[in-house]
Amino acid sequence: MFRLESRPQPSKLMSLASPLLALGLTVLLGVGLFLLLGKDPLRGLQMFFWEPIRSAYAWSELGLKATPLVLIALGLAVCFRSNVWNIGAEGQFIIGALAGGWVAMQAGPDSSRWIVLAILAAGVAGGMAWAGITALLRARFHANEILVSLMLVYVADLLLGYLVYGPWKDPGGYNFPQSISFLAVTKIPRLMEGSRLNIGVLIAAGSVLAFWLLLFRTYAGFALQVGGMAPAAARYAGFSSSRALWTALLLSGAMAGLAGALEVAGPLGQLTPYVPAGYGFAAIIVAFVGRLHPAGIVFSGLLMSMFYIGGELAQSRLGLPKSITGVFQGLLLFSLLACDTLIHHRIRLRRPSVGVSARAGAAHV
C-alpha cells in the first residue's frame, strides 16, 4: 500500500523533527510494553517522564545523571563527525575513574582542596591514554577502531575488577570488593546543600560551549568535519587524516575520562565493580539523538537521564526488572533509526498502474 520514494535533497525539517517523532514512538511502544507486563501504562510513564522533574531535588538528580552523558557524548560527536567510530567510551570512562580514584586514594590529612584538580586531570589523562591505544593501532596497523575500542572496554572492566578485588581492596572493608572511601577533601564540590549536584554540571555546560566553538567556529573543527564528510576532498585540501584521527580519539577519551573521574570522586566516593554504569554506551544514543550538535546533546542527555531515573523508580515502585532502562534506551535508538529514514525518503501511497487495473476489471467480467 505504501512505498518509500527518494527525496531529491535531504529534508532539513525531518532532520529536526525525527528525534521528536522518535520520542513519540518510544512513548507509544512503552505504553504497549507496560500493558504486556500487566502494569498501568499511565503509572509507568509517570515514572519515566514526570517523577524525574517533579521537584527541585529531582532536577538536581537529573543534572547529576546528565553530566557524564553530556560530557561523553560531546567527545563522541567529534569522533562521529570525523568519521572515527569510537565505540569504547565506556572503557575510557572506567580508566578515567581508575586514574582519578588512584589520585584520590593518595590524599592524606594535610591534602588541600586543590587535589580535586589533580583528580580530574588524572581522569582526563587516563581516558586519553586508553583512547590513544585505539588511535595507535588504527594509525600504525590499520586496525578497525570499532573492534579495538569495543574490546578495550572489557579489558578496562577486568582491570577494575582485578584492582578492587586485589591490590586496592579496602583492608577494613569486611572483604567487600571496594577501595577505601575517599576523604572528604577529595570529593567534587557540591553546588548546594541538601543536593548531590556538584560542579560537574558547570564543567559540562562550559564544555558544551567549548565544543560548539571548536566544531563551528575554528579551522581545526572545520578540518575534522571535512575529513569525515569527504575524505578525498580533505586530502586534496591538505588536511591530515592521521591528525584528525588522533585529535578526535584523544578528545573523546579525555571527555570520557573526565566523566569517570567526576563520577568516582562525586556521587560514588570510592572504586567498586559497579563503576561501569553503561554511560559510555548510552552516550552513543545521546550523541545521535542530539544530532551530533552540542546544543542537541544537552536535551538528549537530559532525556536519557530521565530514562535512567525512571528505570530505577519503575524497579522500586512497580516491581519491574532493572533492564527496563536499557529497553527504553533501545526503543529510542531504533525509533530514531526508523524515523531518520524519512530524512532521505518520503512515504507515498502505492497506486496500481492503469494496465493492472484494466486486466483486473476484465478478469472480473
Side-chain angles (χ1 to χ4, degrees):
M1 183 177 294
F2 297 99
R3 63 184 176 88
L4 288 176
E5 178 184 277
S6 297
R7 296 180 185 270
Q9 296 292 334
S11 171
K12 293 182 179 180
L13 176 61
M14 284 308 306
S15 180
L16 297 175
S18 179
L20 299 177
L21 291 175
L23 177 59
L25 185 58
T26 301
V27 171
L28 291 177
L29 293 172
V31 169
L33 178 63
F34 287 128
L35 290 173
L36 286 175
L37 294 173
K39 305 296 182 181
D40 181 0
L42 293 180
R43 180 68 172 158
L45 293 178
Q46 181 185 4
M47 295 296 104
F48 280 88
F49 296 103
W50 171 243
E51 292 294 332
I53 59 172
R54 68 189 301 268
S55 65
Y57 180 79
W59 274 101
S60 70
E61 288 294 300
L62 192 67
L64 186 69
K65 288 283 189 184
T67 294
L69 291 171
V70 170
L71 288 172
I72 300 171
L74 287 172
L76 291 178
V78 173
C79 274
F80 298 155
R81 281 180 174 271
S82 306
N83 202 26
V84 176
W85 297 96
N86 177 18
I87 309 299
E90 182 78 355
Q92 295 143 28
F93 174 88
I94 296 171
I95 297 300
L98 287 175
W102 179 82
V103 173
M105 288 189 290
Q106 309 312 306
D110 298 329
S111 300
S112 70
R113 289 293 284 165
W114 291 104
I115 195 174
V116 170
L117 294 181
I119 292 171
L120 298 182
V124 169
M128 290 178 70
W130 208 246
I133 298 174
T134 301
L136 177 63
L137 293 176
R138 163 72 187 274
R140 181 68 179 83
F141 302 104
H142 305 289
N144 186 292
E145 74 272 18
I146 297 175
L147 295 177
V148 173
S149 61
L150 181 59
M151 292 300 102
L152 284 174
V153 174
Y154 300 101
V155 177
D157 198 15
L158 290 172
L159 179 59
L160 169 65
Y162 164 73
L163 291 173
V164 297
Y165 278 93
W168 290 2
K169 182 192 288 187
D170 182 5
Y174 302 100
N175 207 35
F176 283 101
Q178 60 190 29
S179 71
I180 60 172
S181 296
F182 302 154
L183 298 180
V185 72
T186 67
K187 299 296 182 65
I188 305 297
R190 296 184 179 183
L191 290 181
M192 62 191 75
E193 291 295 330
S195 167
R196 297 196 303 162
L197 189 65
N198 56 46
I199 62 170
V201 70
L202 301 180
I203 296 174
S207 299
V208 169
L209 177 60
F211 273 76
W212 179 80
L213 292 173
L214 169 67
L215 289 172
F216 305 113
R217 290 296 184 271
T218 66
Y219 177 81
F222 174 73
L224 285 171
Q225 295 186 76
V226 170
M229 292 184 294
R235 288 193 297 269
Y236 180 79
F239 299 152
S240 171
S241 59
S242 177
R243 181 183 300 174
L245 170 71
W246 279 94
T247 300
L249 277 170
L250 291 182
L251 265 178
S252 182
M255 298 306 289
L258 174 61
L262 283 169
E263 189 73 8
V264 78
L268 296 182
Q270 62 181 164
L271 290 167
T272 74
Y274 306 106
V275 167
Y279 290 147
F281 295 118
I284 298 173
I285 305 176
V286 172
F288 278 105
V289 172
R291 284 292 177 258
L292 305 182
H293 191 286
I297 284 171
V298 173
F299 293 104
S300 59
L302 290 171
L303 175 62
M304 192 62 64
S305 302
M306 293 173 71
F307 287 175
Y308 270 105
I309 296 174
E312 294 170 0
L313 293 175
Q315 183 182 2
S316 61
R317 299 184 185 181
L318 300 180
L320 292 175
K322 183 180 180 181
S323 57
I324 191 69
T325 299
V327 170
F328 264 84
Q329 292 175 357
L331 288 176
L332 179 62
L333 175 61
F334 284 107
S335 297
L336 180 69
L337 294 174
C339 293
D340 277 355
T341 304
L342 300 178
I343 298 176
H344 299 279
H345 299 81
R346 56 167 64 95
I347 299 176
R348 293 297 193 192
L349 181 65
R350 188 186 296 275
R351 297 179 179 177
S353 61
V354 176
V356 172
S357 301
R359 287 195 296 272
H364 178 72
V365 173

